[in-house]
């Protein structure tokens, strides 16, 4: 049996539904009648004209009811005379429903679609739209009051949502004579007045390059200050073609950026009142060429930075730079709190090739700002310079930077440094270093000194330990000269400006000790002794190399001249002392004295001379000494050799004065010992024969 239908409840339900429909219909018609009023439809025009001295025209204004009541404007034009400042195919404005019933018009939603905005800057640098702005209007004053009352008052009158799609931006700057284009593909903004929060998502383009921005921000409390702000913001530029901003890249006149791009990925987080976290995930620069067409390696930067606001302290957790596969450097550190002008940094690297970075440095370090209209000064250079100088803070509290270096595999000008470790301090006009350890050629150089930036002067005192001389020489020449292990002390005084201009700003003094090595090639001044050893029964130092136990000496480099002040060698079967000069021109004038071992003992001392030009004139035995010894052997055999050598050593002290007395015999012997390369010396020999 079917249950009976309660007609009474059915009737009440029907009445309720009918009443609800009547109320909703009446409500909607009431809203529509409000929106259809001419005063409402002219609201947009009135609001714009209350703020700007501009004309507003449109094709049609209609009413939209769903999902929220509002108005839709088609064919909107905001004009400055005949010039369109803004054009829109469609603009939808939705209102708070409750405010509509009260006869008030609070906007809750704005949608702008398919349009163009024109921004102009005149010949004197003023924006046209600013000239049209009514700064003293009632609406502006009311907005200022809301801002002063705090974020809550301002958020209460702002639209809850903003939607912008496909808006072109055209910028014309008559002062700089440039035009640029951008677009807003989509922009979504949502406000929550109760939470004082804002969400923003932007997809845009600048000269065809995509720019993506997203942000979630809020304000704690009701105050306009940085402490109250909370935000998580990200900015991404997938690929930006530098050819589209040639008005900026032209400041690098040595660079070719036609095919260059850069990429950017960056995040900024502030989750409390004290700290701002800035994370640079990627900043890369690729396909840059120099003017010779050389493709430069990719440059990649990343960083992780934390800013502590109350203490005004910057903590650099990580700053990394990489160029290709050959160079990488990492920096970390902090600044002192409360602006005490002090930074502490750690700089580390597993590989750094300055030689391969040099094309990049040369290309990007040459900057000519005046080539770009953006950076060209509107005032004369002298005024700008004086202004900068007047704003330069006094050096009463100069900035101080403490740097701790930990570098490996460092290459510069062909030199390979295994490591550079130690502290460097920059303060005011000075860069000072103490116990700076440099590893090169299997040895270590411990240095302390300072660089005076104002005077461009470098002073260094270094101790050298166990440096491989052969490897050090091989880095500068292919010639074999010397083998051994070096230790010593070097004092360097370098006037950088003078050295760059005239190459005479270097002063270097060094004492050195070389263990267990060999004299080779051009440096083997013992070779002539072996050639004539039969004259005095010498049996050591044969061939192209001469071994030694140790060499001690002192050298002075000044005014581009190399002065060997002292030289003492303990060799195998002989000892040697010497001194001399290699001049800036390459002219060489050195003299070594060899004391031979054997049954002749210390009686025989052979004078060896380098005279002529470095690399061309080879060592030879003093011909005066040799002629005297030769004469002694004719007189008395071995005894005569000893007597002759002793006499020769005395005579040789005035070799230049006695050359003419030796005559034909001297010329023949001296000519025999000249190297074939020494054409000048051969001519002198021929002249002596005549």
């Amino acid at each position: 049996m079917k249950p009976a239908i309660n007609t009474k409840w059915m009737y009440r339900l029907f009445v309720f539904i009918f009443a609800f429909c009547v109320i909703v219909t009446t409500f909607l018609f009431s809203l529509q009648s409000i929106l259809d009023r001419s005063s409402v439809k002219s609201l947009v025009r009135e609001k714009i004209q209350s703020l700007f001295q501009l004309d507003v025209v449109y094709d049609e204004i209609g009413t939209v009811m769903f999902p929220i009541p509002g108005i839709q404007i088609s064919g909107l034009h905001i004009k400055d005379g005949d010039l369109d400042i803004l054009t829109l195919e469609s603009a939808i404005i939705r209102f708070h429903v409750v405010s509509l019933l009260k006869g008030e018009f609070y906007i809750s939603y704005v949608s702008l679609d398919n349009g163009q905005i024109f921004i102009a800057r005149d010949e004197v640098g003023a924006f046209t739209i600013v000239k049209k702005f009514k700064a003293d209007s009632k609406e502006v004053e009311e907005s200022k009051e809301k801002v002063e009352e705090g974020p809550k008052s301002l958020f209460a009158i702002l639209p809850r949502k903003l939607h912008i799609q496909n808006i072109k931006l055209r910028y014309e700057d008559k002062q700089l004579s440039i035009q640029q284009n951008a677009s807003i593909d989509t922009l979504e903004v949502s406000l929550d007045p109760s939470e004082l929060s804002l969400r923003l998502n932007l997809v845009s383009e600048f000269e065809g390059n995509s720019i993506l921005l997203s942000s979630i921000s809020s304000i704690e409390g009701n105050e306009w200050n940085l402490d109250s702000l909370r935000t998580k913001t990200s900015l991404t530029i997938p690929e930006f073609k530098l050819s589209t901003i040639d008005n900026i890249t032209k400041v690098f006149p040595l660079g070719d950026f036609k095919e260059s791009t850069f990429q950017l990925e960056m995040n900024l987080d502030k989750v409390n009142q004290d700290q701002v976290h800035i994370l640079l995930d990627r900043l890369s620069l690729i396909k840059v060429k120099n003017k010779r067409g050389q493709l430069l390696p990719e440059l990649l930067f990343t960083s992780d930075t934390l800013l502590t606001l109350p203490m005004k302290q910057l903590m650099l957790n990580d700053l990394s730079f990489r160029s290709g596969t050959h160079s990488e450097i990492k920096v970390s550190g902090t600044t002192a709190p409360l602006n005490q002008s002090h930074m502490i940094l750690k700089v580390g690297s597993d590989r750094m090739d300055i030689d391969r970075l040099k094309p990049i440095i040369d290309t990007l370090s040459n900057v000519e700002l005046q080539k770009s209209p953006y950076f060209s000064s509107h005032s004369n250079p002298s005024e700008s310079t004086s202004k900068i100088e007047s704003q330069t803070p006094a050096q009463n509290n100069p900035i101080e930077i403490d740097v701790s270096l930990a570098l490996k595999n460092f290459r510069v000008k062909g030199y390979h440094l295994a490591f550079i470790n130690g502290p460097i301090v920059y303060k005011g006009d000075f860069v000072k270093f103490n116990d700076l350890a440099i590893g090169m050629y299997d040895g270590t150089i411990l240095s302390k000194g300072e660089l005076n930036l104002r005077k461009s002067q470098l002073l260094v005192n270094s101790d050298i330990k166990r440096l491989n001389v052969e490897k050090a020489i091989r880095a500068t020449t292919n010639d074999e000269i010397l083998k051994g292990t070096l230790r010593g002390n070097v004092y360097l005084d370098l006037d950088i400006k003078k050295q760059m201009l005239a190459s005479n700003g270097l002063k270097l003094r060094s004492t050195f000790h070389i263990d267990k090595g060999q004299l080779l090639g051009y440096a083997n001044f013992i070779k002539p002794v072996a050639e004539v050893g039969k004259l005095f029964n010498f049996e050591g130092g044969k061939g192209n190399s001469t071994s030694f136990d140790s060499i001690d000496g002192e050298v002075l480099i000044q005014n581009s001249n190399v002065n060997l002040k002292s030289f003492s060698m303990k060799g195998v079967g002989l000892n040697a002392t010497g001194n001399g000069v290699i001049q800036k021109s390459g002219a060489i004038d050195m003299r070594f004295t060899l004391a031979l071992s054997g049954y002749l003992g210390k009686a025989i001392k052979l004078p060896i001379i380098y005279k002529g030009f470095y690399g061309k004139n080879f060592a030879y035995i003093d011909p005066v000494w040799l002629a005297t010894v030769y004469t002694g052997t004719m007189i008395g055999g071995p005894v005569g050799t000893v007597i002759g050598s002793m006499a020769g050593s005395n005579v040789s002290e005035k070799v230049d004065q006695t050359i003419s007395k030796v005559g034909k015999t001297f010329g023949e012997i001296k000519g025999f010992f000249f190297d074939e390369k020494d054409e000048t010396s051969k001519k002198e020999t021929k002249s002596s024969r005549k």
Side-chain angles (χ1 to χ4, degrees), residues 1 24 34 193 248 297 323 328 354 365 402 434 444 466 478 481 543 551 578 607 612 680:
M1 181 177 179
V24 170
I34 294 173
I248 295 178
S323 176
E328 183 177 8
I354 301 298
S365 64
D402 294 343
N434 192 23
T444 302
R466 301 193 61 79
N478 292 325
I481 297 177
I551 293 178
T680 304

Side-chain angles (χ1 to χ4, degrees), residues 58-60 72-77 86-92 111-116 165-167:
Y58 47 82
D59 296 338
E60 181 184 3
Q72 180 173 6
I73 307 172
S74 301
L76 176 64
H77 294 260
L86 181 144
T87 62
L88 288 172
E89 288 186 10
S90 174
I92 298 176
S111 176
L112 309 175
D113 295 304
N114 302 323
Q116 179 173 288
Q165 183 170 320
N166 194 26
I167 302 295

Side-chain angles (χ1 to χ4, degrees), residues 100-270:
L100 282 177
L101 296 176
K102 294 180 179 180
E104 299 174 347
F105 302 97
Y106 287 112
I107 299 173
S108 65
Y109 175 87
V110 175
S111 176
L112 309 175
D113 295 304
N114 302 323
Q116 179 173 288
I117 299 175
F118 176 68
I119 303 172
R121 193 165 177 246
D122 61 21
E123 292 82 353
V124 297
F127 287 93
T128 306
I129 191 68
V130 175
K131 292 181 179 180
K132 301 295 182 179
F133 182 67
K134 298 178 181 179
D136 57 349
S137 66
K138 178 182 177 181
E139 284 75 7
V140 173
E141 294 299 327
E142 290 177 351
S143 298
K144 288 181 180 179
E145 291 176 1
K146 294 294 184 182
V147 171
E148 292 172 358
E149 290 173 5
K152 290 183 179 179
S153 296
L154 181 62
F155 271 58
I157 64 172
L158 291 176
R160 300 294 185 267
K161 290 187 177 182
L162 171 66
H163 169 83
I164 297 178
Q165 183 170 320
N166 194 26
I167 302 295
K168 307 298 182 183
L169 305 174
R170 186 164 63 92
Y171 174 69
E172 181 179 289
D173 193 320
K174 293 183 178 179
Q175 185 185 48
L176 302 181
S177 300
I178 60 174
Q179 293 184 352
Q180 290 176 325
N181 296 288
S183 68
I184 300 174
D185 296 338
T186 59
L187 172 62
E188 300 284 348
V189 180
S190 299
L191 294 178
D192 186 342
S194 63
E195 298 290 338
L196 294 181
S197 64
L198 177 148
R199 290 176 175 266
L200 181 148
N201 285 287
L202 171 67
V203 178
S204 63
E205 289 187 359
F206 177 80
E207 296 292 355
N209 302 292
S210 295
I211 300 174
L212 310 176
L213 176 67
S214 65
S215 177
I216 301 175
S217 304
S218 63
I219 297 175
E220 298 288 331
N222 191 35
E223 295 183 5
W224 297 109
N225 56 51
L226 188 57
D227 290 345
S228 302
L229 177 65
R230 307 289 184 268
T231 186
K232 293 179 70 69
T233 301
S234 67
L235 173 64
T236 302
I237 302 178
E239 187 177 66
F240 195 102
K241 297 179 180 178
L242 294 179
S243 59
T244 60
I245 53 170
D246 59 338
N247 280 320
I248 295 178
T249 58
K250 65 173 56 175
V251 302
F252 303 103
L254 300 182
D256 180 353
F257 300 91
K258 294 184 181 66
E259 300 177 2
S260 306
T261 62
F262 82 82
Q263 297 176 340
L264 175 67
E265 296 177 17
M266 180 178 176
N267 292 279
L268 185 148
D269 294 341
K270 185 176 184 296

Side-chain angles (χ1 to χ4, degrees), residues 394-574:
Q395 292 297 315
N396 296 331
N397 187 25
I399 186 172
E400 180 177 347
I401 304 176
D402 294 343
V403 181
S404 177
L405 296 179
L407 309 179
K408 299 178 183 178
N409 297 317
F410 194 91
R411 296 181 181 273
V412 57
K413 291 189 175 180
Y415 298 102
H416 174 239
L417 310 182
F419 59 83
I420 304 176
N421 298 328
I424 294 178
V425 178
Y426 164 77
K427 186 174 183 180
D429 295 327
F430 292 91
V431 177
K432 298 183 179 182
F433 45 93
N434 192 23
D435 296 329
L436 185 66
I438 301 174
M440 59 188 306
Y441 309 125
D442 303 334
T444 302
I445 302 175
L446 297 175
S447 300
K448 59 182 179 180
E450 67 178 29
L451 171 62
N452 188 321
L453 299 175
R454 185 179 294 274
K455 295 182 179 180
S456 297
Q457 184 181 33
L458 176 65
L459 301 175
V460 182
N461 194 322
S462 300
D463 290 324
I464 302 174
K465 299 181 179 181
R466 301 193 61 79
L467 188 142
N468 188 313
V469 178
E470 182 183 15
K471 289 185 178 180
I473 294 174
R474 194 182 298 160
T476 59
T477 178
N478 292 325
D479 297 333
E480 291 187 334
I481 297 177
L482 187 64
K483 289 184 178 181
T485 302
L486 170 69
R487 59 180 170 86
N489 176 266
V490 177
Y491 176 78
L492 172 69
D493 183 345
L494 176 62
D495 187 322
I496 299 174
K497 287 184 178 179
K498 186 182 291 185
Q499 181 70 12
M500 292 176 65
L501 294 174
S503 300
N504 61 354
L506 172 65
K507 181 179 179 181
L508 183 147
R509 182 183 294 274
S510 173
T511 57
F512 59 88
H513 175 90
I514 304 175
D515 277 323
K516 304 296 182 183
Q518 291 179 309
L519 297 175
L520 303 168
Y522 189 76
N524 185 18
F525 58 84
I526 312 299
K527 185 177 179 181
V529 180
E531 299 288 347
V532 294
K534 59 185 179 181
L535 293 179
F536 35 79
N537 297 326
F538 173 69
E539 297 180 355
K542 296 180 180 180
N544 292 323
S545 65
T546 300
S547 299
F548 59 83
D549 290 327
S550 67
I551 293 178
D552 291 278
E554 180 180 355
V555 64
L556 173 66
I557 301 176
Q558 190 171 10
N559 296 325
S560 301
N561 297 323
V562 180
N563 185 353
L564 182 62
K565 299 180 70 67
S566 67
F567 177 92
S568 177
M569 183 181 79
K570 294 181 180 180
V572 179
L574 55 84

